[in-house]
Amino acid sequence: MFFHALALNKTPRQANKIEHALESFIFKGRWLLAPFFVGLLFAIILLLIKFFKQLYLMGIATFTATNQELLVGILTLVDTALLAGLLLIIIFSGYENFVSKLNVDNHEDKPSWMGKVGFSGLKMKLISAIVAISAVELLKVFINSGALSSDELLWKVIIHVTFVMSGVLFALTDYLNSKTQSH
């Protein structure tokens, strides 16, 4: 609307050039997201350091730790790995959806979903990973349930069920959305 009003004082060709320049500038602005994805890669490196620290501490305590402590340590490693995978999904999908296609040709290690996951698919992968992380955290809580009150345990379960229900609602919304768009 603004540019059509501006066009009153310009020839159609001049107004079209201004509009094209602005649109091109806005389109190039997508590169402002790239540093976020690089930062998330750095976060994965931090998680890797945390992972190896936990693994080292578990190795030292293996002969003195109880099975319960060892299991909680292993679940912490699983949790860290799930979080790193979640970040990688966000990096790949976010970069491809909002910045630029990843030009890795037909690399044999390229994930099958890469380049095919839209915003809706990204949301589903995200909520699935969050539910999995929440489930691992809840399992750790139940293993150490003696350290928490009944109210604290109840709130942990409520939070997990909230994540699960959010995932179901996201899936239902996407399903309904896909049905209305196909008609």
Side-chain angles (χ1 to χ4, degrees):
M1 191 80 156
F2 170 75
F3 287 104
H4 294 294
L6 185 65
L8 296 175
N9 297 331
K10 305 281 184 187
T11 66
R13 185 176 171 161
Q14 289 173 323
N16 194 24
K17 280 185 178 182
I18 294 170
E19 184 176 1
H20 178 72
L22 179 63
E23 290 171 355
S24 178
F25 179 71
I26 290 170
F27 183 69
K28 290 175 184 171
R30 73 191 190 283
W31 285 99
L32 293 172
L33 291 175
F36 289 98
F37 299 119
V38 172
L40 290 177
L41 277 172
F42 183 70
I44 292 174
I45 292 169
L46 297 177
L47 282 173
L48 184 64
I49 292 168
K50 181 183 177 211
F51 180 91
F52 279 112
K53 176 187 173 194
Q54 177 70 22
L55 189 61
Y56 171 75
L57 293 173
M58 281 177 53
I60 290 174
T62 298
F63 296 109
T64 59
T66 65
N67 285 345
Q68 185 176 347
E69 291 169 337
L70 195 58
L71 184 56
V72 170
I74 291 169
L75 288 173
T76 301
L77 294 177
V78 169
D79 199 26
T80 306
L82 285 171
L83 184 55
L86 172 63
L87 288 175
L88 205 55
I89 290 169
I90 293 168
I91 293 165
F92 284 172
S93 298
Y95 186 86
E96 282 213 326
N97 281 311
F98 301 114
V99 180
S100 181
K101 296 292 177 204
L102 288 169
N103 189 11
V104 290
D105 299 321
N106 290 324
H107 194 282
E108 65 186 49
D109 294 329
K110 181 180 176 181
S112 60
W113 54 266
M114 193 182 208
K116 298 174 187 156
V117 176
F119 192 65
S120 177
L122 176 60
K123 283 190 307 185
M124 290 312 302
K125 286 189 176 302
L126 229 92
I127 194 70
S128 298
I130 289 169
V131 168
I133 291 167
S134 174
V136 169
E137 284 296 315
L138 191 59
L139 184 57
K140 285 175 16 182
V141 165
F142 279 123
I143 289 171
N144 288 324
S145 62
L148 296 174
S149 71
S150 295
D151 284 348
E152 289 172 315
L153 286 173
L154 179 63
W155 278 110
K156 301 268 184 194
V157 170
I158 289 171
I159 290 168
H160 176 70
V161 169
T162 302
F163 285 140
V164 171
M165 293 305 299
S166 296
V168 170
L169 289 174
F170 271 128
L172 181 63
T173 303
D174 281 348
Y175 173 76
L176 293 174
N177 191 30
S178 70
K179 290 296 180 190
T180 58
Q181 287 182 354
S182 64
H183 289 3

